[in-house]
Each structure stands twice: as structure tokens, then as C-alpha cells.
């Protein structure tokens, strides 16, 4: 089974395609760290704008690198917290839209638990 993972909890936009719960087929990441450096830390508004601008490109890159299409995906996993509320909303909105349009389930994932896993 192929799972699409979406992560937008802070300053990085990441989309992964995972097979069988263990084999990572792709995991492109777009970082906005370079935009935050001058402020000495993450600026939530900048992070959110970066997610909005790049999430579609990161999704396309993840599918391309994994050599799959959205129609091959059977489940979407998305970070639901903890994180920056605005940043999380962008990933959740993308996940819900894809879930609805593909008629597949979406599962919310705790960011900290995902690191442990």
C-alpha cells in the first residue's frame, strides 16, 4: 500500500511516498530556514507563505521521484500537531482536498510520535 505523507509543522514543507509502512520511495523537503535567519528564529507568517507557495511543487516532486501518480496512493497521513497553527493548517487543507478528490482516507499524525516511529 502506498501512503502519501504531508508535513508542514514549522519551517519545512515535506511530502513523502511510503510503501508498506517502511520503504520510503521519496521525501523531498523545501526549507524556508534561509528566509528566517535574518530574524534569529522562525517567523510564522513567513513559514506559512513558504508552505503555500511550495506545497504543490513538493507534492509533484515526491510523486515524480517515487514514480507514482496520485491514483496509486491509498492513504494520506498528515501532521496535525504540535506545530505552528497556520503552517499545520496548510498541510491539513492539502491532505483533506486530496482525500476528498481521490476518495481515500486521511489520518492525522502527531509530529512528535512520528519522530519516534
Amino acid at each position: 500500500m502506498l501512503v502519501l505523507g504531508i508535513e508542514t509543522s514549522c519551517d519545512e514543507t515535506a511530502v513523502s511516498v511510503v510503501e508498506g509502512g517502511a520503504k520510503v520511495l521519496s521525501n523531498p523537503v523545501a526549507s524556508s530556514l534561509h528566509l528566517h535567519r535574518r530574524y534569529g528564529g522562525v517567523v510564522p507568517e513567513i513559514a506559512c507563505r513558504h508552505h503555500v507557495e511550495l506545497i504543490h511543487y513538493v507534492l509533484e516532486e515526491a510523486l515524480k521521484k517515487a514514480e507514482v501518480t496520485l491514483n496509486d496512493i491509498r492513504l494520506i497521513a498528515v501532521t496535525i500537531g504540535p506545530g505552528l497553527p497556520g503552517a499545520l493548517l496548510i498541510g491539513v487543507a492539502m491532505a483533506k482536498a486530496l482525500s476528498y478528490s481521490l476518495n481515500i482516507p486521511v489520518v492525522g499524525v502527531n509530529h512528535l510520535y512520528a519522530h519516534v516511529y
Side-chain angles (χ1 to χ4, degrees):
M1 178 170 81
L2 293 178
V3 176
L4 185 75
I6 300 173
E7 205 291 306
T8 60
S9 64
C10 190
D11 63 331
E12 294 179 332
T13 307
V15 178
S16 297
V17 177
V18 179
E19 183 178 33
K23 184 177 180 185
V24 178
L25 301 180
S26 66
N27 185 39
V29 177
S31 176
S32 63
L33 186 58
H34 64 285
L35 301 172
H36 304 284
R37 281 199 180 113
R38 71 165 65 167
Y39 304 105
V42 175
V43 178
E45 180 64 23
I46 292 173
C48 291
R49 288 174 188 257
H50 194 258
H51 289 308
V52 168
E53 290 174 13
L54 294 180
I55 195 164
H56 289 93
Y57 297 110
V58 177
L59 171 63
E60 289 175 6
E61 187 176 342
L63 295 170
K64 183 178 176 182
K65 284 185 176 182
E67 298 179 349
V68 299
T69 69
L70 282 174
N71 290 324
D72 298 318
I73 303 298
R74 295 293 167 251
L75 175 76
I76 299 171
V78 62
T79 302
I80 58 169
L84 301 173
L88 291 166
L89 180 62
I90 294 159
V92 169
M94 171 65 86
K96 285 183 174 182
L98 290 171
S99 170
Y100 181 77
S101 66
L102 298 169
N103 195 31
I104 60 175
V106 62
V107 176
V109 178
N110 180 295
H111 183 99
L112 298 178
Y113 292 166
H115 278 292
V116 173
Y117 178 73

